[in-house]
């Protein structure tokens, strides 16, 4: 198993022997084909490799539960410092596979920074991020996305001058090579139209297929963004305020959509709308001033005095 | 909605049809030029600049990268082709290959250096690199400094076409232009072009979809630089010289101007822009130095009133893609 781990290790990340938990649950197919590097193999000194293998076999023998199997994403001591200001400080987050995990907190609590750290759009100052037991702390954002950890953005991120169908197709074509082919007609992309239409109708956007994204209503853009993200079939989706700026009708639609996709995908979301959080999430982490204040389900947290205080200020608590 | 089959989903068939029709009309009109009494030298020169502007437009209009040093590809290809033709005495086709290869190699190197930066920093690095090259060409013996390489033999292309005959040369340059234009057109409408457009629209999102955007931008840069080099090699046969003007930063500025006047991110805009600017230089030559001032006024007027450029405004008015 250690051998498979080593082979499947993508470029630019720590060699597996440096991962704290080598427990044989890493799935090589998730890394995508053709991205294995000889360098990481060389970078792995024999001594540590043997140690890692021993540890893994000991785990198997003792029947210890593989934590990484239960938690798809974990962070240890995750910290981001901007010139003396700690936007995120020592955050330990564990996201259970298959759950909807909400990240809430007052403005400036570090939720979006946290997202940016997890998807590598920002480099952490300290700490470690494990995705499916693999250390992704040093990876490039595009590589993280290729591992199946895909994010959305707070401000609707569509490609405005492409049609809805083209938006989804851009995501679909990435996995099928040919994206560097400048000599071929884009009609080769028509084979993705069927799948793209499926994804669009899943989010109720069939009639918008040929509408440029810029002309779509706001709520529909958010839906399109989710369809585009789903096109990658990610194991885990990070949604940054999926309901921000939406009317009631759209909120219900998107909430139902999130509930539906959570059957197949793990979801970590930042959301301000507490009724949405209450209805959707299995577990909630409350952040304040860059640190984890509390964690639990909605019922527990709504009784928590510290959470009330963080949201309403000390005087009201 | 699953009843929709692949062929009932029109992605952009109308746009493609419009563009192909305009392309056909453009090719026919240009082919008829030798039958009129329009000065062919002017049209040939304009065609070279049109191809150059189209190559530049591929980078900025579809990749969102403003290169302020595109003259370096034009000049490098020009010098290398001229040197090969005159000193080594190679055939015209080989001369073009040498020039294009030199521009391609240069675009690989400069692309690697500049592509990692964005916005104004990218523009400044390309400008700095082209100025660096300008200085080298000013000093290098093979370029003959201020004199440039003069009296370049035109020869027989593929041993058949006598390039010293204006009509033959015209059709060769036209064929070169149309070929380059079609390659750019195909690139824009290719799977690669789709990714490039998505990067222009929202690079962060493209990254979050797993695209390593630097690689795509680099390929666009290399394609653009190579085609700009092709324009430079063709220009050698038209002008029969290669001089420092072609590597000067004002040339880079002129390329930007042509593209902006014609319409940034439109397919035919750079062609129209190049013709407008070259025509101005040609027919307003009587005004001497004032041409620059007139160009400046047009540039300001363009930015203030029709920001989409000539073709951009037309396309917008008819809600078509051109």
């Amino acid at each position: 198993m250690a051998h498979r781990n080593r082979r499947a290790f993508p470029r630019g990340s720590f060699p597996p022997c440096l991962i704290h938990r080598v427990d044989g649950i890493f799935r090589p197919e998730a890394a995508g084909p053709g991205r294995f590097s000889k360098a990481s193999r060389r970078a792995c000194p024999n001594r540590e490799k043997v140690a890692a293998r021993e540890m893994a076999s000991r785990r198997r023998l003792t029947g210890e539960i593989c934590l990484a199997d239960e938690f798809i994403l974990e962070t240890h001591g995750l910290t981001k410092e901007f010139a003396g200001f700690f936007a995120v400080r020592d955050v330990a987050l564990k996201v259970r596979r298959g759950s909807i995990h909400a990240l809430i907190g007052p403005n400036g609590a570090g939720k979006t920074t946290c997202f940016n750290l997890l998807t590598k759009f920002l480099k952490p100052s300290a700490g470690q991020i494990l995705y499916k037991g693999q250390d992704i702390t040093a990876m490039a954002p595009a590589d993280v996305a290729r591992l199946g950890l895909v994010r959305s953005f707070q401000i609707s991120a569509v490609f405005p001058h492409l049609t809805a169908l083209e938006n989804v197709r851009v995501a679909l074509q990435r996995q099928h090579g040919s994206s560097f082919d400048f000599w071929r007609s884009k009609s080769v992309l028509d084979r993705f139209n069927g799948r793209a239409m499926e994804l669009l109708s899943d989010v109720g956007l069939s009639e918008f297929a040929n509408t440029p994204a810029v002309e779509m209503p706001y709520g529909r853009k958010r839906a399109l963004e989710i369809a585009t993200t789903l096109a990658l079939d990610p194991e885990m989706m990070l949604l940054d305020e999926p309901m921000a700026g939406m009317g009631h009708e759209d909120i219900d639609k998107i909430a139902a959509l999130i509930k539906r996709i959570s059957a197949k995908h793990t979801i970590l979301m930042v959301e301000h709308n507490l009724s949405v959080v209450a209805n959707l999430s299995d577990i909630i982490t409350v952040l304040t001033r860059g640190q984890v204040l509390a964690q639990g389900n909605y019922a527990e947290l709504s009784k928590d005095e510290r959470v009330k205080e963080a949201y309403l200020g000390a005087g009201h608590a | 909605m699953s009843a929709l089959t692949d062929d009932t989903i029109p992605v952009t068939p109308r746009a493609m049809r419009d563009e192909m029709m305009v392309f056909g009309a453009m090719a026919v009109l240009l082919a008829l030029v030798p039958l009129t009494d329009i000065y062919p030298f002017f049209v040939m020169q304009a065609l070279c600049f049109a191809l150059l502007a189209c190559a530049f437009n591929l980078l900025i209009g579809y990749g969102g990268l403003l290169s302020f040093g595109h003259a370096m590809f034009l000049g490098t290809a020009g010098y290398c082709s001229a040197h090969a033709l005159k000193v080594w005495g190679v055939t015209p086709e080989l001369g073009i290959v040498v020039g294009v290869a030199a521009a391609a190699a240069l675009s690989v190197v400069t692309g690697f250096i500049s592509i990692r930066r964005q916005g104004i920093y990218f523009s400044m690095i390309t400008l700095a690199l082209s100025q660096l090259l300008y200085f080298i060409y000013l000093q290098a013996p093979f370029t003959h400094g201020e004199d440039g390489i003069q009296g370049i033999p035109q020869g027989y292309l593929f041993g058949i076409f006598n390039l010293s005959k204006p009509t033959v040369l015209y059709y060769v340059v036209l064929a070169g232009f149309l070929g380059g234009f079609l390659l750019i057109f195909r690139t824009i409408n290719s799977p690669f072009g789709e990714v490039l457009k998505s990067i222009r629209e929202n690079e962060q999102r493209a990254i979050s979809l797993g695209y390593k955007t630097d690689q795509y931008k680099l390929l666009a840069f290399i394609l653009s630089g190579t085609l700009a080099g092709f324009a430079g090699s063709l220009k050698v046969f038209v002008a029969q010289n290669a001089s420092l003007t072609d590597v000067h930063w004002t040339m880079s500025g002129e390329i930007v101007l042509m593209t902006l006047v014609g319409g940034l991110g439109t397919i035919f805009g750079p062609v129209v822009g190049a013709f407008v600017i070259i025509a101005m230089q040609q027919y307003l030559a009587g005004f001497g130095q004032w041409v620059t001032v007139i160009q400046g006024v047009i540039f300001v007027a363009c930015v203030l009133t029709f920001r989409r450029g000539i073709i951009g405004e037309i396309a917008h008015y008819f809600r078509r893609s051109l």
Side-chain angles (χ1 to χ4, degrees):
Chain A
M1 204 56 220
H3 168 72
R4 269 176 75 200
N5 264 337
R6 190 183 60 203
R7 238 176 34 84
F9 222 75
R11 193 193 304 265
S13 49
F14 283 136
C17 54
L18 298 182
I19 299 181
H20 292 199
R21 189 174 291 107
V22 180
D23 45 18
I25 57 92
F26 178 66
R27 288 168 182 77
E29 67 271 19
R35 309 229 61 83
F36 311 138
S37 104
K38 282 177 186 159
S40 70
R41 226 173 296 174
R42 275 198 303 273
C44 197
N46 220 15
R47 190 165 40 85
E48 290 179 46
K49 221 161 47 186
V50 171
R53 209 177 297 150
E54 274 174 4
M55 212 164 77
S57 65
R58 201 165 54 232
R59 280 236 171 81
R60 271 197 298 280
L61 286 174
T62 54
E64 187 183 332
I65 301 161
C66 292
L67 281 178
D69 214 16
E70 191 183 351
F71 296 108
I72 186 164
L73 185 79
E74 284 178 67
T75 68
H76 301 293
L78 193 63
T79 300
K80 179 67 190 177
E81 183 197 344
F82 294 105
F85 170 74
F86 287 89
V88 170
R89 187 175 221 163
D90 203 19
V91 166
L93 200 64
K94 284 184 178 178
V95 180
R96 202 175 293 271
R97 193 182 286 271
S99 67
I100 300 183
H101 192 130
L103 205 56
I104 65 170
N107 283 328
K111 304 181 295 291
T112 296
T113 307
C114 208
F115 259 43
N116 284 330
L117 291 172
L118 294 177
T119 46
K120 312 306 302 129
F121 278 73
L122 283 174
K123 280 202 180 82
S125 312
Q128 195 190 26
I129 306 164
L130 297 175
Y131 173 66
K132 294 198 284 183
Q134 186 184 359
D135 191 325
I136 60 167
T137 317
M139 273 193 189
D143 289 320
V144 172
R146 281 158 186 249
L147 287 179
L149 177 63
V150 181
R151 68 172 296 180
S152 74
F153 292 83
Q154 201 174 102
I155 300 157
S156 159
V158 292
F159 303 117
H161 296 99
L162 303 185
T163 64
L165 187 76
E166 288 171 327
N167 263 274
V168 177
R169 267 193 343 190
V170 166
L172 287 172
Q173 86 178 79
R174 206 261 295 142
Q175 293 151 309
H176 294 86
S178 88
S179 288
F180 281 106
D181 298 359
F182 61 86
W183 58 90
R184 290 165 84 178
S185 165
K186 72 172 167 189
S187 60
V188 299
L189 299 177
D190 287 347
R191 62 197 165 109
F192 301 128
N193 286 358
R195 177 72 187 129
M197 282 308 293
E198 263 175 48
L199 286 158
L200 284 176
S201 69
D202 275 354
V203 298
L205 288 180
S206 299
E207 73 266 41
F208 287 94
N210 290 314
T211 310
V214 67
E215 290 169 18
M216 290 163 64
Y218 186 77
R220 305 294 183 148
K221 280 186 198 161
R222 302 303 315 229
L224 174 60
E225 197 186 335
I226 291 177
T228 309
T229 307
L230 281 173
L232 296 176
D233 200 18
E235 271 192 78
M236 180 168 179
M237 288 169 77
L238 279 74
L239 306 174
D240 197 353
E241 297 194 27
M243 315 294 180
M246 274 190 189
H248 281 294
E249 214 172 294
D250 283 330
I251 286 182
D252 293 343
K253 271 188 203 155
I254 299 288
L257 176 63
I258 292 175
K259 190 79 204 167
R260 197 146 42 86
I261 57 185
S262 72
K264 284 187 200 156
H265 311 264
T266 308
I267 291 172
L268 174 65
M269 65 175 184
V270 167
E271 187 48 60
H272 278 302
N273 187 324
L274 287 182
S275 71
V276 169
V277 172
N279 287 333
L280 281 180
S281 26
D282 303 313
I283 192 155
I284 302 165
T285 300
V286 186
L287 280 182
T288 45
R289 298 194 194 98
Q291 284 172 299
V292 175
L293 180 73
Q295 181 163 307
N297 59 34
Y298 190 77
E300 290 161 20
L301 289 178
S302 56
K303 290 183 206 118
D304 194 314
E305 288 302 319
R306 292 171 306 161
V307 177
K308 280 185 199 163
E309 195 182 307
Y311 263 91
L312 301 170
H316 300 273
Chain B
M1 278 327 258
S2 55
L4 274 173
T5 57
D6 287 358
D7 52 350
T8 57
I9 304 163
V11 180
T12 46
R14 198 183 73 167
M16 287 282 269
R17 205 176 53 227
D18 287 350
E19 286 156 4
M20 287 317 285
M21 268 165 55
V22 175
F23 176 77
M26 179 179 78
V28 170
L29 279 178
L30 287 170
L32 292 176
V33 164
L35 305 178
T36 66
D37 53 0
I38 302 172
Y39 186 36
F41 179 78
F42 152 67
V43 183
M44 282 191 275
Q45 210 190 3
L47 284 175
C48 293
F49 282 107
L51 181 55
L52 176 63
C54 285
F56 171 77
N57 185 44
L58 173 65
L59 197 58
I60 184 169
Y62 297 90
L65 292 166
L66 170 60
S67 157
F68 210 79
H70 247 50
M72 65 182 159
F73 304 116
L74 180 82
T76 299
Y79 273 131
C80 291
S81 285
H83 186 76
L85 288 166
K86 193 176 180 191
V87 180
W88 300 341
V90 299
T91 54
E93 58 275 14
L94 216 59
I96 293 176
V97 169
V98 169
V100 172
L106 178 67
S107 63
V108 171
V109 175
T110 51
F112 261 112
I113 299 170
S114 57
I115 215 78
R116 289 156 205 284
R117 295 285 165 264
Q118 287 173 343
I120 189 76
Y121 302 102
F122 172 79
S123 305
M124 286 299 114
I125 290 174
T126 51
L127 175 62
L129 288 169
S130 75
Q131 282 303 94
L132 194 90
L133 228 68
Y134 175 81
F135 183 74
I136 292 172
Y137 289 139
L138 182 66
Q139 301 293 325
F142 87 100
T143 63
H144 301 286
E146 301 277 0
D147 297 336
I149 305 177
Q150 303 289 340
I152 295 153
Q154 289 167 312
Y156 288 79
L157 185 70
F158 303 121
I160 315 166
F161 303 111
N162 184 358
L163 296 181
S164 52
K165 279 190 182 164
T167 317
V168 176
L169 179 62
Y170 179 81
Y171 283 111
V172 167
V173 171
L174 179 60
F177 164 75
L178 293 177
F181 185 89
L182 279 179
L183 180 61
I184 292 170
F185 185 69
R186 172 44 71 83
T187 303
I188 292 166
N189 292 298
S190 69
F192 170 71
E194 289 289 290
V195 180
L196 200 59
K197 276 178 242 176
S198 75
I199 293 172
R200 173 195 65 186
E201 303 265 291
N202 193 334
E203 182 165 359
Q204 297 294 317
R205 180 55 172 163
I207 293 173
S208 82
L209 293 179
Y211 284 108
K212 298 183 174 182
T213 55
D214 278 357
Q215 295 176 358
Y216 292 86
K217 291 196 281 188
L218 181 62
L219 180 56
F221 190 87
I222 293 170
L223 283 172
S224 175
T226 307
L227 281 160
F230 182 48
S233 289
L234 283 179
K235 194 171 161 292
V236 163
F237 292 95
V238 178
Q240 282 186 270
N241 70 41
S243 68
L244 283 172
T245 336
D246 289 351
V247 271
H248 200 245
W249 64 270
T250 51
M251 179 59 78
S252 298
E254 228 161 81
I255 302 168
V256 179
L257 180 64
M258 287 171 189
T259 312
L260 274 178
V261 168
L264 199 74
T266 62
I267 290 166
F268 297 96
V271 181
V272 173
F275 271 84
V276 169
I277 300 294
I278 299 296
M280 269 174 20
Q281 288 174 356
Q282 183 83 24
Y283 294 103
L284 301 179
F287 292 98
Q289 286 299 309
W290 284 95
V291 172
T292 328
V293 176
I294 297 170
Q295 270 184 8
V297 171
I298 288 181
F299 182 69
V300 171
C302 173
V303 170
L304 288 179
T305 57
F306 56 109
R307 207 170 295 176
R308 295 185 187 91
I310 298 169
I311 293 295
E313 291 292 342
I314 295 173
H316 183 72
Y317 183 78
F318 291 107
R319 290 185 61 78
R320 296 280 169 106
S321 139
L322 286 173

